[in-house]
Amino acid sequence: MSYIGIVVLNYHNVSDTEDCVDSILKHNSAPVKFIVVDNGSTENSTRERLTSFCMERFSGDCHVVKDSSSESTVTLPRCTLFLSPANEGYARGNNKGLEFAFKDETLSHIIILNNDVVFESDIIPSLVSYYSSLESPGILTPLLHNRKKEEYNCARSFPDNWDIIVPFLLFNRNHRSIISKRRNKQLIILNNPDCLNKELFEIDVPSGSFMFIGMKLFQDLGGFDPDTFLYYEEVIICKRLERLGKHNYCIPGLSAFHKGAGTTSKSGSVFLQKCNIESADVYFRKESKLTPLQYLAWALTRMLWGMKFYIKRKELQ
């Protein structure tokens, strides 16, 4: 029997992780194995609660580990809970879970799932079916929605380099709506709402909150780029899929609820800004060549933000 591996990253916010896992157990008929990674939560009570939850929900068929196995192949239990010693961000955190997944030959597909996503219906079998029917699939995503409307971020076009540089140059101040216009032009559903009437439609980039991908394909890609801490991980992986001739799709007939910002809301804005600009720098160095003018603009941007971070550090001393 083949299984779907579901990698869920937890950082302090155990309530969301419990809701996420419980929603899948309630709304799923596909054979799945959970790989829950606690990404260095600093409070012992968080880890104790998460451990108790996993052991209870999976009737003891849960392996709690504190370091990666050295074995080349393993057969994972229904749930693997990895208690990581440190928070190394989205990419490395998920990669820790993927290390276990890549060793289990019974896994055919992987779902990268934010812990603040809640299943409302039995969508995994349909994702498997769509994936097998497509000629060169990369990543599939359902339509994500929040309490108010569809979440446009789950279906995007690739940003051009100026779409990334300009908001930083403006220090994220939306003067004359310049930033919002640049961001909105990447949102496929916003610009073409008729695509919601299609069975599926092609996208460049899904939300990093929910990504369904073939196990072997993801393994060949090596997982996420470990040089990013937060932001641009899904853009980087999709650029690499594009070079392989793979196509990503959103399936509007399938949906899930995304609470949003459960973990990042707990982090300071300066820290998040620093993560954002550093990940953008990784993207430019590895995946998107800058023109001479863009290179100068980005160098100026890095210098200005470096001065801002320096001043902030001085204020806190």
Side-chain angles (χ1 to χ4, degrees), residues 85 108 116 124 139 143 147 157 164 225-227 232 244 253 300 313:
S108 59
D116 58 354
I124 296 179
I139 293 172
L143 186 68
R147 289 181 176 85
S157 301
I164 298 173
D225 191 306
D227 290 337
Y232 297 100
L244 294 175
L300 174 62
R313 285 197 302 271

Side-chain angles (χ1 to χ4, degrees), residues 243-266:
R243 288 200 297 271
L244 294 175
K246 303 297 182 180
H247 303 275
N248 306 320
Y249 297 91
C250 178
I251 306 170
L254 307 178
S255 66
F257 174 60
H258 184 207
K259 298 177 185 178
T263 297
T264 56
S265 62
K266 302 180 187 302

Side-chain angles (χ1 to χ4, degrees), residues 157-169:
S157 301
F158 284 121
D160 67 41
N161 291 339
W162 288 116
D163 290 336
I164 298 173
I165 296 171
V166 167
F168 285 119
L169 272 177

Side-chain angles (χ1 to χ4, degrees), residues 126-270:
S126 295
L127 287 167
V128 174
S129 178
Y130 275 110
Y131 207 89
S132 63
S133 68
L134 293 165
E135 186 173 343
S136 298
I139 293 172
L140 302 187
T141 182
L143 186 68
L144 299 179
H145 67 91
N146 54 36
R147 289 181 176 85
K148 297 180 180 179
K149 58 186 178 181
E150 290 86 7
E151 190 172 289
Y152 297 135
N153 201 46
C154 67
R156 289 173 285 158
S157 301
F158 284 121
D160 67 41
N161 291 339
W162 288 116
D163 290 336
I164 298 173
I165 296 171
V166 167
F168 285 119
L169 272 177
L170 296 177
F171 283 90
N172 294 320
R173 296 183 177 90
N174 196 21
H175 181 65
R176 296 181 182 273
S177 300
I178 292 173
I179 295 177
S180 57
K181 287 176 182 177
R182 285 195 167 272
R183 288 176 177 164
N184 287 346
K185 74 182 180 66
Q186 301 168 45
L187 305 178
I188 295 172
I189 299 172
L190 179 66
N191 295 300
N192 183 21
D194 288 342
C195 64
L196 293 176
N197 298 321
K198 298 180 180 179
E199 184 178 7
L200 75 169
F201 59 93
E202 190 166 348
I203 63 176
D204 288 336
V205 186
S207 167
S209 303
F210 194 125
M211 295 189 287
F212 181 95
I213 185 171
M215 167 76 163
K216 179 65 165 56
L217 176 59
F218 210 3
Q219 193 169 13
D220 289 344
L221 290 169
F224 293 103
D225 191 306
D227 290 337
T228 60
F229 187 92
L230 191 64
Y231 303 108
Y232 297 100
E233 293 89 355
E234 69 270 35
V235 183
I236 291 172
I237 207 79
C238 288
K239 278 289 186 181
R240 295 173 182 177
L241 286 168
E242 183 185 48
R243 288 200 297 271
L244 294 175
K246 303 297 182 180
H247 303 275
N248 306 320
Y249 297 91
C250 178
I251 306 170
L254 307 178
S255 66
F257 174 60
H258 184 207
K259 298 177 185 178
T263 297
T264 56
S265 62
K266 302 180 187 302
S267 303
S269 61
V270 173

Side-chain angles (χ1 to χ4, degrees), residues 32 91 93 100 268 285 290 294:
V32 299
F100 292 96
R285 285 190 286 107
L290 296 168
Q294 290 170 344

